[in-house]
Amino acid sequence: MIWGRYLLSAGLQSSRWRVSCHVKRTYSFLPDDVKSLRAVVNPDISKIRNIGIMAHIDAGKTTTTERMLYYSGYTRALGDVDDGDTVTDFMAQERERGITIQSAAVTFDWKSHRINLIDTPGHVDFTLEVERALRVLDGAVAVFDASAGVEAQTLTVWRQAEKHHVPCVCFLNKMDKPAASLSLSIESIKQKLKANPVLLQIPVGNGKSFTGVVDLLTNQKLIWKLKSSENDGRVFEIKPLEHSDEPELLQEVSEARTALIEQVADLDDEFAELLLTDFSENFDAVPSNKLQEAVRRLTLARKGVPVLCGSSLRNKGVQPLLDAITAYLPAPNERHHDLVRWYKDDLCALAFKVLHDKQRGPLVFLRIYSGTLKPQTAIHNINRNSIERMSRLLVPFADQHVEIPSMTAGNIALTVGLKQTVTGDTIVSSKASAAAAARRAQNEGGTGKKRGEHVSVVLSGVEVPDPVFFCTIEPPTMAKQADLEHALNCLQREDPSLKVRVDPDSGQTILCGMGELHIEILHDRIKREYGVEADLGPLQVAYRETILQEVSTTDTLDRTVGDRRHVVTVELTVKPLEAMSTGGSCEIAFEEKVDGQLSAEVKEAVENGVHSSYLQGPLLGYPLQGVSTLIQSVNMESGTSLAMVSACVSRCMLKAFRLGGGQVLEPVMSLEVTVGEEHLGTVLGDLAQRRGTVRDIQSRHDNKVLIATVPLAEMMGYSTVLRTLTSGNATFSLELDIYETMNTQDQNTLLKRMSGLL
């Protein structure tokens, strides 16, 4: 506990400004008095900011996070990804590879505000980490490489933020790079993200001459004069623009501020009215606080996204970004969650992440939406319909944690002792509390009237994508089988995108994941953390199957078991859906007359039979996708068991699939390669051999950006091949695009290979 108090006193200190007596003002961090534990743990909800850092891989998320921690006083030294000493990338695999693998939560204070920050991965294999973080956050900082603008994975994380209606602030990082371009980045945000970038800063200098920014709201210059490598960027100058400044800069700032005022007026009626009534003769006289208030309204309404500039690695521009987080992103009470209001002051929280600690067991991250969480109390898990006792309550500081006596709404907490809770579960104080919330929902005409008590008051969880790679995994000896099963159970609970199943024919354990790197990391963790030298089989692609034509079939099951006869006849129609997607979408419907005559139990048995048949296609046994089933009649004699109904439906479905003609679907990836023009022809030739289709070739400074779609099966080991072809002078990113029909020749080749003929 002494160590915990030391962390608390060293890490949770607010900033105080030191002002010199010259015209130029120099701002620097000075430690404040340590606050009491209660003040630190439970700040006013309006002062809390729950945010995530999201971006494409290598855009600078973790470096930006490290600078935030340093300038807030949480850390005493600057961490560096290349040196492997960052706070949030604490896993051995993260430090070795220089990438973020799992999202890490850290809490710190900035100017009387509490910031709960989650650093998320940028690699597509770990996209679920971004998804479940954004599900519980109130705002996000999107980090961009200013020389590249919007990249492939940026689109993915932006879509995830939009799905959860998360307001965002954009940070154009790496402004010190020679190829950095403000105009390119702004234009790519407009064109690719379909967003309204609200530019709040203009860079001073470009490339290596980048020294700071001009704040368009206040017309002030923020200059970092880093005279030596030891200068950590804490001290910077703030001074107003003067007529002696470069004419080009003055002209650019004037035009940019005018454009900012016009843009905000177009998007915010209240600000437009203020302009027309009080400042119609001189728009430049608008007070900066009124402009800031308008920008905040735009951000919260998601009509615009504030854009700031800087260079995290060079320690420039991070403090204004922290100011923007507190100024523009919402507090928890400014985000509206319909279900939460039915709980009033009772506890309502969502479990969004699980970690396993060797000493303390499972650690569950909770976002508290209402009420107060206290240790040594029993809680009710609505999803599991179980009661658990939470033994300890912690504040998350990456891989270090501080124990606390209570935590209120709006915060993110780490709990010890919840052994059954998994990602997506809703936690409340008691079953009676959930029932009371359901009654309130029903009285208000909410979803409770339609969906039943418990379902109506359950917070929506996290959508887990289907795996696209799989391989066998075996222990080195049978004596290690139990240890391997324990490791896989723990990892599945931590990572819902990991699927483990046992092959019914061979009895082998199958590991299913989101990509090569995902499975490689899992294999490494099993070895390091659980001491099992597991052997992996060859990596294989998770294909899907569908049917080619509409088919109607009838099947009758007549079976006597003991002295009981079971007779059931099923008539149904299956047909392919027109639209394919990355999800395993299959539909089931009942004809109106059938829907009315069947009991709920029989309907459930029919649905179970349909869903079980979707799990194994007629060609290679892969799950089906893009199939619609219409149940036209179900006739059964008295005494027929529900299990026989399900069995008859499954048999009828299998007959329909065979008559409909099987077709293999393969996952197709969206590929983006940035390469020098001298290597473009070589890369194009290699993609042609991989059955790739080039969609576009764009110019980005001195490089070419190749955008293509390529079957996932052809992308095994692509990073090594690309590095060889281009002498290491190319980068690429992948994103799962769609499941696509294989052509006849490729399908026949696959069928022969899978049957052992090739």
Side-chain angles (χ1 to χ4, degrees), residues 105-118:
V106 66
T107 298
F108 61 92
D109 285 354
W110 178 257
K111 293 186 181 178
S112 77
H113 285 76
R114 163 62 46 79
I115 297 180
N116 298 312
L117 182 146
I118 295 182

Side-chain angles (χ1 to χ4, degrees), residues 683-703:
V683 173
L684 285 170
D686 179 68
L687 284 179
Q689 293 180 351
R690 296 173 184 271
R691 298 190 284 131
T693 302
V694 178
R695 296 204 308 255
D696 193 14
I697 299 177
Q698 302 172 354
S699 295
R700 184 182 294 165
H701 308 299
D702 296 331
N703 293 324

Side-chain angles (χ1 to χ4, degrees), residues 317-372:
V318 177
Q319 294 96 325
L321 176 60
L322 282 165
D323 291 338
I325 288 170
T326 59
Y328 305 121
L329 293 181
N333 57 350
E334 292 176 300
R335 296 267 288 157
H336 302 293
H337 306 277
D338 289 338
L339 292 178
V340 176
R341 60 191 171 91
W342 296 326
Y343 284 94
K344 295 190 174 179
D345 294 327
D346 291 337
L347 174 66
C348 179
L350 180 71
F352 68 94
K353 186 176 174 65
V354 179
L355 292 176
H356 276 83
D357 185 274
K358 289 183 179 178
Q359 281 75 39
R360 292 174 288 197
L363 306 176
V364 180
F365 284 83
L366 296 178
R367 164 66 196 271
I368 307 171
Y369 287 98
S370 65
T372 303

Side-chain angles (χ1 to χ4, degrees), residues 84 114 134 180 210 218 226-227 238 271 306 322 336 349 383 429 440 459 582 602 673 697:
R114 163 62 46 79
L134 288 172
F210 172 68
T218 61
L226 307 184
K227 297 178 181 178
I238 297 183
F271 183 72
L322 282 165
H336 302 293
N383 302 71
S429 55
R440 294 186 194 107
L459 296 166
T582 54
V602 174
V673 183
I697 299 177

Side-chain angles (χ1 to χ4, degrees), residues 470 501 503-505 540-546 613-624 654 657-658 661-667 742-744 746-757:
F470 70 93
R501 59 181 174 85
D503 187 278
D505 298 324
Q540 299 183 56
V541 173
Y543 293 97
R544 299 277 170 80
E545 296 183 31
T546 190
S613 64
Y614 283 154
L615 298 178
Q616 196 161 12
L619 282 176
L620 294 170
Y622 289 104
L624 273 97
L654 181 59
F657 292 154
R658 287 171 178 163
Q663 173 69 53
V664 177
L665 302 171
E666 65 177 341
M742 294 184 76
N743 63 45
T744 305
D746 293 332
Q747 177 172 303
N748 290 339
T749 302
L750 176 65
L751 292 171
K752 289 178 181 178
R753 187 170 75 242
M754 298 299 288
S755 59
L757 298 178

Side-chain angles (χ1 to χ4, degrees), residues 531-572:
V532 181
E533 296 276 356
D535 298 316
L536 294 184
L539 210 57
Q540 299 183 56
V541 173
Y543 293 97
R544 299 277 170 80
E545 296 183 31
T546 190
I547 57 175
L548 296 174
Q549 59 187 11
E550 182 176 326
V551 175
S552 296
T553 57
T554 304
D555 195 25
T556 300
L557 186 148
D558 188 343
R559 187 169 299 170
T560 301
V561 180
D563 59 351
R564 188 173 173 187
R565 188 181 179 204
H566 306 267
V567 181
V568 57
T569 300
V570 174
E571 182 182 358
L572 55 82

